[in-house]
Coordinates of all heavy atoms in Angstrom, one line a residue:
L5 N -198.5 19.8 -145.4 CA -198.0 19.1 -144.2 C -197.6 17.7 -144.5 O -196.6 17.2 -143.9 CB -199.2 19.0 -143.2 CG -199.4 20.2 -142.3 CD1 -200.7 19.9 -141.4 CD2 -198.3 20.5 -141.4
C6 N -198.2 17.0 -145.4 CA -197.9 15.6 -145.7 C -196.5 15.5 -146.2 O -195.9 14.4 -146.2 CB -198.9 15.0 -146.5 SG -199.0 15.6 -148.2
H7 N -195.9 16.5 -146.8 CA -194.6 16.4 -147.4 C -193.5 16.9 -146.4 O -192.3 16.9 -146.8 CB -194.5 17.2 -148.7 CG -195.4 16.8 -149.7 ND1 -195.3 15.6 -150.3 CD2 -196.5 17.3 -150.2 CE1 -196.3 15.4 -151.2 NE2 -197.1 16.5 -151.1
N8 N -193.8 17.2 -145.2 CA -192.9 17.7 -144.2 C -193.0 17.0 -142.9 O -193.9 17.4 -142.1 CB -193.1 19.2 -144.1 CG -192.0 19.9 -143.3 OD1 -191.4 19.2 -142.4 ND2 -191.7 21.1 -143.5
P9 N -192.2 16.0 -142.6 CA -192.4 15.2 -141.4 C -192.3 16.1 -140.1 O -192.9 15.8 -139.1 CB -191.3 14.2 -141.4 CG -190.9 14.1 -142.9 CD -191.2 15.4 -143.5
E10 N -191.4 17.1 -140.1 CA -191.3 18.0 -139.0 C -192.6 18.7 -138.6 O -192.9 18.8 -137.5 CB -190.2 19.0 -139.2 CG -188.8 18.4 -139.3 CD -188.5 17.9 -140.7 OE1 -189.3 18.2 -141.7 OE2 -187.4 17.3 -140.9
S11 N -193.3 19.1 -139.7 CA -194.6 19.8 -139.4 C -195.6 18.9 -138.9 O -196.3 19.2 -138.0 CB -195.1 20.4 -140.7 OG -194.2 21.4 -141.2
I12 N -195.6 17.7 -139.4 CA -196.6 16.7 -138.9 C -196.3 16.4 -137.4 O -197.2 16.3 -136.6 CB -196.6 15.4 -139.7 CG1 -197.1 15.7 -141.1 CG2 -197.4 14.3 -139.0 CD1 -197.0 14.5 -142.1
H13 N -195.0 16.3 -137.1 CA -194.6 16.0 -135.7 C -195.1 17.2 -134.8 O -195.7 16.9 -133.7 CB -193.1 15.9 -135.6 CG -192.6 15.7 -134.2 ND1 -191.9 16.6 -133.5 CD2 -192.6 14.6 -133.4 CE1 -191.6 16.2 -132.4 NE2 -192.0 14.9 -132.3
Q14 N -194.9 18.4 -135.2 CA -195.3 19.5 -134.4 C -196.9 19.6 -134.3 O -197.4 19.9 -133.2 CB -194.8 20.8 -135.0 CG -195.0 22.1 -134.2 CD -194.4 22.0 -132.8 OE1 -193.3 21.4 -132.7 NE2 -195.0 22.5 -131.8
V15 N -197.6 19.3 -135.3 CA -199.0 19.3 -135.3 C -199.5 18.3 -134.3 O -200.5 18.5 -133.6 CB -199.6 19.2 -136.7 CG1 -201.1 18.9 -136.6 CG2 -199.4 20.4 -137.5
M16 N -198.9 17.1 -134.4 CA -199.3 16.0 -133.4 C -199.1 16.4 -132.0 O -199.9 16.1 -131.1 CB -198.6 14.7 -133.7 CG -198.9 14.2 -135.1 SD -200.6 13.7 -135.3 CE -200.7 12.3 -134.2
I17 N -198.0 17.2 -131.7 CA -197.8 17.7 -130.4 C -198.9 18.7 -130.0 O -199.5 18.6 -128.9 CB -196.4 18.3 -130.2 CG1 -195.3 17.1 -130.3 CG2 -196.2 19.1 -128.9 CD1 -193.9 17.6 -130.4
L18 N -199.1 19.7 -130.9 CA -200.0 20.7 -130.5 C -201.5 20.3 -130.4 O -202.2 20.8 -129.6 CB -199.9 21.8 -131.6 CG -198.6 22.6 -131.6 CD1 -198.5 23.6 -132.8 CD2 -198.3 23.3 -130.3
M19 N -201.9 19.3 -131.2 CA -203.2 18.9 -131.3 C -203.5 17.6 -130.4 O -204.6 17.0 -130.4 CB -203.7 18.6 -132.7 CG -203.6 19.8 -133.6 SD -204.6 21.2 -133.0 CE -204.1 22.5 -134.1
G20 N -202.4 17.1 -129.8 CA -202.5 15.8 -129.1 C -203.0 16.0 -127.6 O -203.5 17.1 -127.3
D21 N -202.9 15.0 -126.8 CA -203.4 15.0 -125.4 C -202.5 15.8 -124.5 O -202.8 16.0 -123.3 CB -203.5 13.6 -124.9 CG -204.6 12.8 -125.6 OD1 -205.5 13.5 -126.2 OD2 -204.5 11.6 -125.7
R22 N -201.4 16.3 -125.0 CA -200.4 17.0 -124.1 C -201.0 18.3 -123.6 O -200.6 18.8 -122.5 CB -199.1 17.2 -124.8 CG -198.4 16.0 -125.1 CD -197.1 16.3 -125.8 NE -196.5 15.1 -126.4 CZ -195.3 15.0 -127.0 NH1 -194.6 16.1 -127.0 NH2 -194.9 13.9 -127.5
G23 N -201.8 19.0 -124.4 CA -202.3 20.3 -124.0 C -201.3 21.4 -124.4 O -200.5 21.3 -125.2
I24 N -201.5 22.5 -123.7 CA -200.7 23.7 -124.0 C -199.5 23.7 -123.0 O -199.6 23.6 -121.8 CB -201.6 25.0 -123.7 CG1 -202.8 24.9 -124.6 CG2 -200.8 26.3 -124.0 CD1 -203.9 25.9 -124.2
P25 N -198.3 23.9 -123.6 CA -197.1 24.0 -122.7 C -197.2 25.1 -121.7 O -197.7 26.2 -122.0 CB -195.9 24.2 -123.6 CG -196.4 23.8 -125.0 CD -197.9 24.0 -125.0
D26 N -196.9 24.9 -120.4 CA -197.0 25.9 -119.4 C -195.7 26.7 -119.3 O -195.0 26.7 -118.3 CB -197.2 25.2 -118.0 CG -197.5 26.3 -116.9 OD1 -197.8 27.4 -117.3 OD2 -197.5 25.9 -115.7
G27 N -195.3 27.4 -120.4 CA -194.2 28.2 -120.5 C -193.0 27.6 -121.2 O -193.0 26.4 -121.5
Y28 N -192.0 28.4 -121.6 CA -190.9 27.9 -122.4 C -190.0 27.0 -121.6 O -189.3 26.1 -122.1 CB -190.1 29.1 -122.8 CG -190.8 30.0 -123.8 CD1 -190.8 31.4 -123.5 CD2 -191.5 29.6 -124.9 CE1 -191.5 32.3 -124.4 CE2 -192.1 30.4 -125.7 CZ -192.2 31.8 -125.5 OH -192.8 32.6 -126.3
R29 N -190.0 27.1 -120.2 CA -189.1 26.2 -119.4 C -189.6 24.8 -119.4 O -188.9 23.9 -119.0 CB -189.1 26.8 -118.0 CG -188.4 28.1 -117.9 CD -188.2 28.6 -116.5 NE -189.4 28.6 -115.7 CZ -189.5 28.1 -114.5 NH1 -188.5 27.6 -113.9 NH2 -190.7 28.2 -113.8
F30 N -190.9 24.6 -119.7 CA -191.5 23.2 -119.5 C -191.8 22.6 -120.8 O -192.8 21.9 -120.9 CB -192.7 23.4 -118.6 CG -192.4 24.0 -117.3 CD1 -192.8 25.2 -117.0 CD2 -191.8 23.2 -116.3 CE1 -192.6 25.8 -115.8 CE2 -191.5 23.8 -115.1 CZ -191.9 25.1 -114.8
M31 N -191.0 22.8 -121.9 CA -191.3 22.2 -123.1 C -189.9 21.9 -123.8 O -188.9 22.5 -123.6 CB -192.1 23.1 -124.1 CG -191.5 24.5 -124.3 SD -192.6 25.6 -125.2 CE -192.6 25.0 -126.8
H32 N -189.9 20.8 -124.5 CA -188.7 20.4 -125.3 C -188.7 21.2 -126.6 O -189.7 21.7 -127.0 CB -188.7 18.9 -125.6 CG -188.7 18.0 -124.3 ND1 -187.9 18.3 -123.3 CD2 -189.5 17.0 -124.0 CE1 -188.1 17.3 -122.3 NE2 -189.1 16.6 -122.8
G33 N -187.6 21.3 -127.2 CA -187.5 22.0 -128.5 C -186.5 21.3 -129.4 O -185.7 20.5 -129.0
Y34 N -186.6 21.6 -130.7 CA -185.7 21.1 -131.7 C -185.7 22.1 -132.9 O -186.6 22.9 -133.1 CB -186.2 19.7 -132.2 CG -187.5 19.7 -132.8 CD1 -187.6 19.8 -134.2 CD2 -188.7 19.6 -132.1 CE1 -188.8 19.8 -134.8 CE2 -189.9 19.6 -132.7 CZ -190.0 19.7 -134.1 OH -191.2 19.7 -134.7
L35 N -184.6 22.0 -133.6 CA -184.5 22.8 -134.8 C -185.2 22.1 -135.9 O -185.1 20.9 -136.1 CB -183.0 23.0 -135.2 CG -182.2 23.9 -134.3 CD1 -180.8 24.0 -134.9 CD2 -182.8 25.3 -134.2
G36 N -186.0 22.9 -136.7 CA -186.7 22.3 -137.8 C -185.8 22.1 -139.0 O -186.2 21.4 -139.9
H37 N -184.7 22.7 -138.9 CA -183.7 22.6 -140.1 C -182.4 21.9 -139.6 O -182.1 22.0 -138.5 CB -183.4 24.0 -140.6 CG -184.6 24.7 -141.1 ND1 -185.2 24.4 -142.3 CD2 -185.4 25.6 -140.6 CE1 -186.3 25.1 -142.5 NE2 -186.4 25.9 -141.5
T38 N -181.7 21.3 -140.5 CA -180.4 20.8 -140.3 C -179.4 21.9 -140.4 O -179.5 22.8 -141.3 CB -180.1 19.7 -141.3 OG1 -181.1 18.7 -141.1 CG2 -178.7 19.1 -141.0
I39 N -178.4 22.0 -139.5 CA -177.4 23.0 -139.6 C -176.0 22.4 -139.9 O -175.8 21.2 -139.7 CB -177.3 23.9 -138.4 CG1 -177.0 23.0 -137.1 CG2 -178.6 24.6 -138.1 CD1 -176.7 23.8 -135.9
K40 N -175.1 23.2 -140.4 CA -173.7 22.7 -140.7 C -172.8 23.2 -139.6 O -172.7 24.4 -139.4 CB -173.3 23.1 -142.0 CG -171.9 22.6 -142.4 CD -171.6 22.7 -143.9 CE -171.4 24.1 -144.3 NZ -170.8 24.2 -145.7
L41 N -172.1 22.3 -138.9 CA -171.1 22.7 -137.9 C -169.7 22.4 -138.5 O -169.5 21.4 -139.2 CB -171.3 21.9 -136.6 CG -172.7 22.1 -135.9 CD1 -172.7 21.2 -134.7 CD2 -172.9 23.5 -135.5
V42 N -168.8 23.2 -138.1 CA -167.4 23.1 -138.5 C -166.5 22.9 -137.3 O -166.5 23.6 -136.3 CB -166.9 24.3 -139.3 CG1 -165.5 24.2 -139.8 CG2 -167.8 24.6 -140.5
N43 N -165.7 21.8 -137.3 CA -164.8 21.5 -136.2 C -163.5 22.3 -136.3 O -163.2 23.0 -137.3 CB -164.5 20.0 -136.0 CG -163.8 19.4 -137.2 OD1 -163.2 20.1 -137.9 ND2 -163.9 18.1 -137.2
K44 N -162.5 22.2 -135.4 CA -161.3 22.9 -135.4 C -160.4 22.5 -136.6 O -159.5 23.3 -136.9 CB -160.6 22.8 -134.1 CG -160.1 21.4 -133.7 CD -159.5 21.3 -132.3 CE -159.2 19.9 -131.9 NZ -158.7 19.8 -130.6
N45 N -160.6 21.4 -137.2 CA -159.8 21.0 -138.3 C -160.4 21.5 -139.7 O -159.9 21.2 -140.7 CB -159.7 19.4 -138.4 CG -159.0 18.9 -137.2 OD1 -158.1 19.5 -136.7 ND2 -159.4 17.7 -136.7
G46 N -161.5 22.2 -139.6 CA -162.1 22.8 -140.8 C -163.1 21.8 -141.4 O -163.6 22.0 -142.5
E47 N -163.3 20.6 -140.8 CA -164.2 19.6 -141.4 C -165.6 20.0 -140.9 O -165.8 20.4 -139.8 CB -163.8 18.2 -140.9 CG -162.4 17.8 -141.2 CD -161.9 16.6 -140.4 OE1 -162.4 16.4 -139.3 OE2 -161.0 16.0 -140.9
W48 N -166.6 19.7 -141.8 CA -168.0 20.0 -141.4 C -168.8 18.8 -141.4 O -168.6 17.8 -142.1 CB -168.5 21.1 -142.3 CG -168.5 20.8 -143.8 CD1 -167.4 21.2 -144.6 CD2 -169.4 20.1 -144.6 NE1 -167.7 20.8 -145.9 CE2 -168.9 20.1 -145.9 CE3 -170.6 19.5 -144.3 CZ2 -169.6 19.5 -147.0 CZ3 -171.3 18.9 -145.4 CH2 -170.8 18.9 -146.7
V49 N -169.9 18.9 -140.6 CA -170.9 17.8 -140.5 C -172.3 18.5 -140.4 O -172.4 19.6 -140.0 CB -170.7 16.9 -139.3 CG1 -169.4 16.1 -139.4 CG2 -170.7 17.7 -138.0
Y50 N -173.2 17.7 -140.9 CA -174.6 18.2 -140.7 C -175.1 17.8 -139.3 O -174.8 16.7 -138.8 CB -175.5 17.6 -141.8 CG -175.3 18.2 -143.1 CD1 -174.7 17.5 -144.2 CD2 -175.6 19.6 -143.4 CE1 -174.5 18.1 -145.4 CE2 -175.3 20.2 -144.6 CZ -174.8 19.4 -145.6 OH -174.6 20.0 -146.8
C51 N -175.9 18.6 -138.7 CA -176.3 18.4 -137.3 C -177.8 18.8 -137.2 O -178.3 19.8 -137.7 CB -175.4 19.2 -136.4 SG -175.8 19.0 -134.7
Q52 N -178.5 18.0 -136.4 CA -179.9 18.4 -136.0 C -179.9 18.5 -134.4 O -179.4 17.7 -133.7 CB -180.8 17.2 -136.3 CG -182.3 17.5 -136.1 CD -183.0 18.1 -137.3 OE1 -183.0 17.5 -138.3 NE2 -183.6 19.2 -137.2
L53 N -180.3 19.7 -134.0 CA -180.3 19.9 -132.5 C -181.6 19.7 -131.9 O -182.7 20.1 -132.4 CB -179.9 21.4 -132.3 CG -178.5 21.8 -132.7 CD1 -178.2 23.3 -132.4 CD2 -177.4 20.9 -132.1
H54 N -181.6 19.0 -130.7 CA -182.8 18.8 -129.9 C -182.5 19.3 -128.5 O -181.4 18.9 -128.0 CB -183.1 17.3 -129.9 CG -183.5 16.7 -131.2 ND1 -184.8 16.4 -131.5 CD2 -182.8 16.4 -132.3 CE1 -184.8 15.9 -132.7 NE2 -183.6 15.9 -133.2
M55 N -183.4 20.0 -127.9 CA -183.2 20.6 -126.6 C -184.2 19.9 -125.7 O -185.4 19.9 -126.0 CB -183.4 22.1 -126.6 CG -182.3 22.9 -127.2 SD -182.2 22.9 -129.0 CE -183.7 23.6 -129.6
K56 N -183.7 19.4 -124.5 CA -184.6 18.8 -123.6 C -184.7 19.7 -122.3 O -183.6 20.1 -121.8 CB -184.1 17.4 -123.1 CG -184.0 16.4 -124.3 CD -185.4 15.9 -124.5 CE -185.4 14.7 -125.5 NZ -186.7 14.2 -125.7
S57 N -185.9 19.9 -121.8 CA -186.1 20.8 -120.7 C -185.5 20.1 -119.4 O -185.9 18.9 -119.2 CB -187.6 21.1 -120.5 OG -187.8 21.7 -119.3
M58 N -184.7 20.8 -118.7 CA -184.2 20.2 -117.4 C -185.3 20.2 -116.3 O -185.2 19.5 -115.3 CB -183.0 21.1 -116.9 CG -181.8 20.9 -117.9 SD -180.4 22.0 -117.4 CE -179.9 21.1 -115.9
Q59 N -186.4 21.0 -116.5 CA -187.5 21.0 -115.6 C -188.6 20.0 -115.9 O -189.5 19.8 -115.2 CB -188.1 22.4 -115.6 CG -187.3 23.5 -115.0 CD -186.4 24.1 -116.0 OE1 -186.4 23.8 -117.2 NE2 -185.5 25.0 -115.5
G60 N -188.4 19.3 -117.1 CA -189.4 18.4 -117.5 C -190.5 19.1 -118.3 O -190.4 20.3 -118.5
T61 N -191.5 18.4 -118.6 CA -192.6 19.0 -119.3 C -193.8 19.3 -118.4 O -194.0 18.5 -117.5 CB -193.1 18.2 -120.5 OG1 -193.4 16.9 -120.1 CG2 -192.0 18.1 -121.6
K62 N -194.5 20.3 -118.7 CA -195.7 20.7 -117.8 C -196.7 21.3 -118.8 O -196.3 22.2 -119.6 CB -195.2 21.6 -116.7 CG -196.3 22.0 -115.8 CD -195.7 22.9 -114.7 CE -196.7 23.5 -113.8 NZ -196.1 24.5 -112.9
F63 N -197.9 21.0 -118.6 CA -199.0 21.5 -119.6 C -200.2 22.0 -118.8 O -200.4 21.6 -117.7 CB -199.4 20.3 -120.5 CG -198.3 19.8 -121.3 CD1 -197.6 18.6 -120.9 CD2 -197.9 20.4 -122.4 CE1 -196.6 18.1 -121.6 CE2 -196.8 19.8 -123.2 CZ -196.2 18.7 -122.7
I64 N -200.9 22.9 -119.4 CA -202.1 23.4 -118.9 C -203.3 23.1 -119.8 O -203.1 22.8 -121.0 CB -202.0 24.9 -118.6 CG1 -201.8 25.7 -119.9 CG2 -201.0 25.3 -117.6 CD1 -201.8 27.2 -119.8
T65 N -204.5 23.2 -119.3 CA -205.7 22.9 -120.1 C -206.1 24.2 -120.8 O -205.7 25.3 -120.5 CB -206.8 22.3 -119.3 OG1 -207.2 23.4 -118.4 CG2 -206.4 21.1 -118.6
Q66 N -207.0 24.0 -121.7 CA -207.6 25.2 -122.4 C -208.3 26.1 -121.4 O -208.1 27.3 -121.4 CB -208.6 24.7 -123.4 CG -209.2 25.8 -124.3 CD -208.3 26.1 -125.5 OE1 -207.6 25.2 -126.0 NE2 -208.4 27.2 -126.1
E67 N -208.9 25.5 -120.4 CA -209.6 26.3 -119.4 C -208.6 27.1 -118.5 O -208.8 28.2 -118.2 CB -210.5 25.4 -118.5 CG -211.7 24.8 -119.2 CD -211.3 23.7 -120.1 OE1 -210.3 23.0 -119.9 OE2 -212.1 23.4 -121.1
D68 N -207.5 26.4 -118.2 CA -206.5 27.1 -117.4 C -205.8 28.3 -118.1 O -205.4 29.2 -117.5 CB -205.4 26.1 -117.0 CG -205.9 25.1 -116.0 OD1 -206.9 25.3 -115.3 OD2 -205.2 24.0 -115.9
S69 N -205.8 28.2 -119.4 CA -205.1 29.2 -120.2 C -205.9 30.5 -120.2 O -205.3 31.6 -120.3 CB -205.0 28.8 -121.7 OG -206.3 28.7 -122.3
F70 N -207.2 30.5 -119.8 CA -207.9 31.8 -119.7 C -207.4 32.6 -118.5 O -207.6 33.8 -118.5 CB -209.4 31.5 -119.6 CG -210.0 30.8 -120.8 CD1 -210.7 29.7 -120.7 CD2 -209.9 31.4 -122.0 CE1 -211.3 29.1 -121.8 CE2 -210.4 30.9 -123.2 CZ -211.1 29.7 -123.1
N71 N -206.8 32.0 -117.5 CA -206.3 32.7 -116.3 C -204.9 33.1 -116.5 O -204.4 33.7 -115.6 CB -206.4 31.7 -115.1 CG -207.9 31.3 -114.9 OD1 -208.8 32.1 -115.0 ND2 -208.0 30.1 -114.5
K72 N -204.3 32.9 -117.6 CA -202.9 33.2 -117.8 C -202.8 34.4 -118.8 O -203.6 34.6 -119.7 CB -202.1 32.1 -118.5 CG -202.2 30.8 -117.7 CD -201.0 30.6 -116.9 CE -201.1 29.2 -116.2 NZ -200.1 29.0 -115.2
S73 N -201.8 35.3 -118.6 CA -201.5 36.4 -119.4 C -201.0 35.9 -120.8 O -200.3 34.9 -120.8 CB -200.5 37.3 -118.7 OG -199.9 38.2 -119.6
P74 N -201.2 36.7 -121.8 CA -200.6 36.3 -123.1 C -199.1 36.3 -123.0 O -198.4 35.6 -123.8 CB -201.1 37.4 -124.1 CG -202.3 37.9 -123.5 CD -202.1 37.8 -122.0
D75 N -198.5 37.0 -122.1 CA -197.1 37.1 -121.9 C -196.6 36.1 -120.8 O -195.4 36.2 -120.3 CB -196.6 38.5 -121.5 CG -197.0 39.5 -122.6 OD1 -196.9 39.1 -123.8 OD2 -197.3 40.6 -122.3
H76 N -197.4 35.2 -120.4 CA -197.0 34.3 -119.3 C -195.7 33.5 -119.5 O -194.9 33.5 -118.6 CB -198.2 33.2 -119.1 CG -197.8 32.1 -118.2 ND1 -197.6 32.2 -116.9 CD2 -197.5 30.8 -118.5 CE1 -197.2 31.1 -116.4 NE2 -197.1 30.2 -117.3
S77 N -195.5 33.0 -120.7 CA -194.3 32.2 -121.0 C -193.0 33.1 -120.8 O -192.0 32.7 -120.2 CB -194.3 31.6 -122.4 OG -195.3 30.7 -122.4
Q78 N -193.1 34.3 -121.4 CA -191.9 35.2 -121.3 C -191.7 35.7 -119.9 O -190.5 35.7 -119.4 CB -192.1 36.4 -122.2 CG -192.1 36.1 -123.7 CD -192.4 37.2 -124.6 OE1 -193.1 38.2 -124.2 NE2 -191.9 37.2 -125.8
K79 N -192.7 36.0 -119.2 CA -192.6 36.5 -117.8 C -192.1 35.4 -116.9 O -191.2 35.6 -116.1 CB -194.0 37.0 -117.3 CG -193.9 37.6 -115.9 CD -195.3 38.1 -115.5 CE -195.2 38.6 -114.1 NZ -196.6 39.0 -113.6
D80 N -192.6 34.2 -117.1 CA -192.1 33.0 -116.3 C -190.6 32.8 -116.5 O -189.9 32.6 -115.6 CB -192.9 31.8 -116.6 CG -192.4 30.6 -116.0 OD1 -192.4 30.5 -114.7 OD2 -191.9 29.6 -116.7
L81 N -190.2 32.8 -117.8 CA -188.8 32.6 -118.1 C -187.9 33.7 -117.5 O -186.9 33.5 -116.9 CB -188.6 32.5 -119.6 CG -187.2 32.3 -120.1 CD1 -186.7 30.9 -119.6 CD2 -187.2 32.2 -121.6
Y82 N -188.3 35.0 -117.7 CA -187.6 36.1 -117.2 C -187.4 36.0 -115.6 O -186.3 36.2 -115.1 CB -188.3 37.4 -117.5 CG -187.6 38.7 -117.0 CD1 -186.5 39.2 -117.6 CD2 -188.1 39.2 -115.8 CE1 -185.9 40.3 -117.1 CE2 -187.5 40.4 -115.3 CZ -186.4 40.9 -116.0 OH -185.8 42.0 -115.4
E83 N -188.6 35.7 -114.9 CA -188.5 35.7 -113.5 C -187.7 34.5 -113.0 O -187.0 34.6 -112.0 CB -189.9 35.6 -112.9 CG -190.7 36.9 -113.1 CD -192.1 36.8 -112.7 OE1 -192.6 35.7 -112.4 OE2 -192.8 37.9 -112.7
A84 N -187.7 33.4 -113.7 CA -186.9 32.2 -113.4 C -185.4 32.5 -113.5 O -184.6 32.2 -112.6 CB -187.2 31.0 -114.2
I85 N -185.0 33.3 -114.5 CA -183.6 33.7 -114.7 C -183.2 34.6 -113.6 O -182.1 34.5 -113.0 CB -183.4 34.3 -116.1 CG1 -183.6 33.3 -117.2 CG2 -182.1 35.0 -116.2 CD1 -183.7 33.9 -118.6
Q86 N -184.1 35.6 -113.2 CA -183.8 36.5 -112.1 C -183.6 35.8 -110.8 O -182.8 36.2 -110.0 CB -185.0 37.5 -112.0 CG -185.1 38.5 -113.2 CD -183.8 39.3 -113.3 OE1 -183.3 39.9 -112.4 NE2 -183.4 39.4 -114.6
R87 N -184.4 34.7 -110.6 CA -184.2 33.9 -109.3 C -183.0 33.0 -109.4 O -182.7 32.3 -108.4 CB -185.5 33.1 -109.1 CG -186.7 33.9 -108.8 CD -187.9 33.0 -108.3 NE -188.2 32.0 -109.3 CZ -189.2 32.1 -110.2 NH1 -189.9 33.2 -110.2 NH2 -189.5 31.2 -111.1
G88 N -182.4 32.8 -110.5 CA -181.2 32.0 -110.7 C -181.6 30.5 -110.9 O -180.7 29.6 -110.7
E89 N -182.8 30.3 -111.4 CA -183.2 28.9 -111.7 C -182.7 28.4 -113.0 O -182.6 29.1 -113.9 CB -184.7 28.8 -111.6 CG -185.3 29.0 -110.3 CD -186.8 28.9 -110.2 OE1 -187.4 28.5 -111.2 OE2 -187.4 29.3 -109.2

C-alpha cells in the first residue's frame, strides 16, 4: 500500500468516517490507471478520469447494511435506469 497512492486513497475512503456507499449512484469514482487518448489529429495525451455522482454521495452504517440485500447496489441502479433517473 505505501508504494501506491491510489490504494492509500481508496483505503482511507473505505475505512474513514464516510461509511458504506448506498449504491453505485451515490459514490464518486475514478480510474486507478492513466489511459492514453488520441485526438482527431492522431496526437495522444495521457488522461486520468474522475467521475462525480450527479446524485451526490450517500452512505449507510454497518448496522443499516444488515437490512440490505447483497445485490442492493445493482438493483438500485437497474431500477433507477428503468425509472429514467
